[in-house]
Amino acid sequence: MVAVTLVLGDITEQQVDAVVNAANSELLGGGGVDGAIHRRGGPAILAECRRLRDTEYPRGLPTGAAVATTAGELPARWVIHTVGPVWSARGDRAAQLAPLLASCYSESLRVAAGLGARTVAFPAVSTGVYRWPMDDAARIAIETVREYSADIDEARFVLFDSAAYDVFAERLAR
Ligand code: ADP
């Protein structure tokens, strides 16, 4: 069973085996979590991302997929890059995209378990630049992680502000 925990803080400071990056398909850095991870983790992460683009993912990492690199100078051992879907205000479209957001969590845990990681820290994928509403993102994140039964001890959601933390706490209590 995965223990689901919540922390108010910065994903780059987590002492866990693997931290998940809310990356974009290009894998070459960006803003938000992605920018913070590359800034704090140093150039080794980007170097591995470039190698992945040159080899396995010439067309980019697909939405809902996950891939691991070194964590460089971060306290973690690995960064698992995953690409969330961009929110659509059209209800039918959002329903089609929700499984891709769930896939970010299940694929990241699958990759983590494959590496032997026991503790994994997640940001609220897609809730920044990609605009997914926090409450729905929290529901999908918590449901997906709770259903996952592989060899992971702790899935930690790291929320950047108290509004996001409160939304996750409310969902977790259900
Ligand atoms: P996306 O492009 O998937 O929407 P973002 O990185 O823009 O990803 O944002 C995802 C969430 O992570 C947002 O809720 C944002 O407030 C939060 N966030 C931004 N920086 C950090 C950080 N250093 N640690 C944890 N969460 C962060």
Side-chain angles (χ1 to χ4, degrees), residues 9-12 22-23 31-34 36 84 123-131 134 158-161:
D10 185 331
I11 190 110
T12 64
V33 171
D34 202 8
V125 177
S126 286
T127 64
V129 174
Y130 287 178
R131 303 186 315 277
M134 192 61 76
V158 182
L159 292 319
F160 209 41
D161 57 55

Side-chain angles (χ1 to χ4, degrees), residues 10-13 18-23 29-46 49 69-74 78-81 121-123:
D10 185 331
I11 190 110
T12 64
E13 291 170 4
V19 299
V20 173
N21 182 16
V33 171
D34 202 8
I37 283 178
H38 284 286
R39 243 184 340 268
R40 295 284 297 269
I45 301 175
L46 189 58
C49 286
T69 66
T70 176
E73 292 156 35
L74 295 179
W78 297 283
V79 171
I80 298 174
H81 307 262
F122 286 97

Side-chain angles (χ1 to χ4, degrees), residues 40-74:
R40 295 284 297 269
I45 301 175
L46 189 58
E48 263 192 54
C49 286
R50 285 193 202 283
R51 258 198 306 281
L52 285 166
R53 284 302 304 275
D54 290 342
T55 55
E56 274 174 81
Y57 298 105
R59 299 167 65 183
L61 184 66
T63 304
V67 67
T69 66
T70 176
E73 292 156 35
L74 295 179

